[in-house]
Amino acid sequence: MGYYVQVEPGVRIYVEDINPGGNKTILFVHGWPLSHQAYEYQFNVLPGKGYRCIAMDTRGYGKSDKPWEGYNLDRMADDVKGVIDALGLRNFTLAGHSYGGATVIRYMARHQGHGVSKLALFAAAAPSLTRRPNFPYGMPKENVTQLVNQTLNDRPNMLRGLKELFFFQNISNALGDWFFDIGLPAAGYATAKVAISFRDEELFSDLGKICVPTLILHGIHDKVCYPELAVAQKEGIPDAKLVWFEFSGHSLFYEERDKFNKELMEFIEG
């Protein structure tokens, strides 16, 4: 079931709510430059195991409204809170991939983990996706600037190139086309502005403010959010468990989907 939630005047967020009668709730936040559809291979399985799976398209992406402003971690975290409050969610698992992982970390710090009982991070873009003087492990900033420029000049070609960046395993051409199609409905300016956000923003001080059990899932071949980011998350979050995915890049939710789903369910049930 799909519906819209207003998170500020004139801005509606699209929400897909699968198995509303499920016993345990997971709110999924997708990464750049995708939509809730990226979690298809979770939605094929988890609702049948009794989970209520809620997925939002962040502003600028998928079916959500595409305002000119608001593409930073604070506003994205506030949008997540708007969805949580509108649906009255309590005692649920909050989950995020890539920039969505950064968004849910900022939510936990900015809103004191309101309503969340557990946190799940998938290849999260934290504490910094890019290299800094005190953090030499991220992607060079100039690489992200190149993505921004490609987005503003030939976004379809940029999206095509992400197949090689996101996947470690060989995938079919059809799946590559599907992945490409997920990114197309986004606004070009939203795609560029979020890239600027994950290039320039950081979450070092946010990690220690997370006060719920946290699961970190990360592919060892990730070329976007390097494995060192997962190590930093494990060290910075007080109650965190890190599970490596040996045959995955940035898209572990597809590349090792059976292991991914199993680890997520065991974490929620534990």
Side-chain angles (χ1 to χ4, degrees), residues 3-7 10-16 28-30 34-37 55-68 71 76 79-80 83 182 184-187 189-190:
Y3 47 79
Y4 284 89
V5 170
Q6 183 167 307
V7 293
V11 180
R12 301 170 307 149
I13 296 296
Y14 178 77
V15 174
E16 193 73 30
F28 291 88
V29 183
H30 66 83
L34 305 172
S35 76
H36 77 276
Q37 293 176 288
M56 55 183 283
D57 286 347
T58 59
R59 65 170 58 208
Y61 295 86
K63 297 180 181 179
S64 286
D65 287 345
K66 300 169 175 62
W68 178 249
Y71 301 99
M76 291 291 195
D79 288 351
V80 171
V83 171
I182 291 176
L184 275 182
Y189 51 84

Side-chain angles (χ1 to χ4, degrees), residues 199-216:
R199 182 192 67 188
D200 296 344
E201 294 198 69
E202 50 84 12
L203 299 106
F204 291 96
S205 64
D206 298 68
L207 298 180
K209 298 175 183 177
I210 296 172
C211 55
V212 299
T214 300
L215 177 66
I216 302 166

Side-chain angles (χ1 to χ4, degrees), residues 18-188:
I18 307 166
N19 191 24
N23 295 323
K24 295 193 177 180
T25 298
I26 313 169
L27 173 59
F28 291 88
V29 183
H30 66 83
W32 178 93
L34 305 172
S35 76
H36 77 276
Q37 293 176 288
Y39 290 113
E40 176 173 331
Y41 294 89
Q42 284 62 63
F43 302 154
N44 288 347
V45 174
L46 298 179
K49 301 292 185 179
Y51 294 92
R52 179 187 183 186
C53 294
I54 303 171
M56 55 183 283
D57 286 347
T58 59
R59 65 170 58 208
Y61 295 86
K63 297 180 181 179
S64 286
D65 287 345
K66 300 169 175 62
W68 178 249
E69 300 290 351
Y71 301 99
N72 57 73
L73 287 173
D74 282 354
R75 181 61 252 181
M76 291 291 195
D78 291 351
D79 288 351
V80 171
K81 186 173 189 297
V83 171
I84 290 169
D85 287 347
L87 302 186
L89 300 182
R90 298 294 182 270
N91 193 33
F92 69 98
T93 298
L94 180 60
H97 171 247
S98 192
Y99 187 77
T103 299
V104 300
I105 289 172
R106 177 56 53 85
Y107 172 84
M108 296 299 292
R110 184 170 169 85
H111 298 292
Q112 297 79 49
H114 171 67
V116 178
S117 59
K118 294 187 177 182
L119 181 69
L121 305 174
F122 318 136
S128 175
L129 184 139
T130 53
R131 295 177 188 169
R132 298 172 183 273
N134 63 332
F135 191 74
Y137 308 112
M139 181 185 292
K141 283 194 173 186
E142 54 267 28
N143 290 22
V144 182
T145 299
Q146 186 177 18
L147 283 175
V148 173
N149 292 335
Q150 291 172 350
T151 297
L152 295 174
N153 288 284
D154 189 345
R155 187 168 67 96
N157 192 51
M158 183 279 294
L159 291 173
R160 285 287 185 205
L162 291 181
K163 175 183 174 182
E164 301 301 322
L165 194 61
F166 275 46
F167 292 92
F168 169 69
Q169 298 183 27
N170 291 324
I171 61 171
S172 68
N173 289 332
L175 190 90
D177 290 342
W178 169 78
F179 181 77
F180 169 80
D181 288 343
I182 291 176
L184 275 182

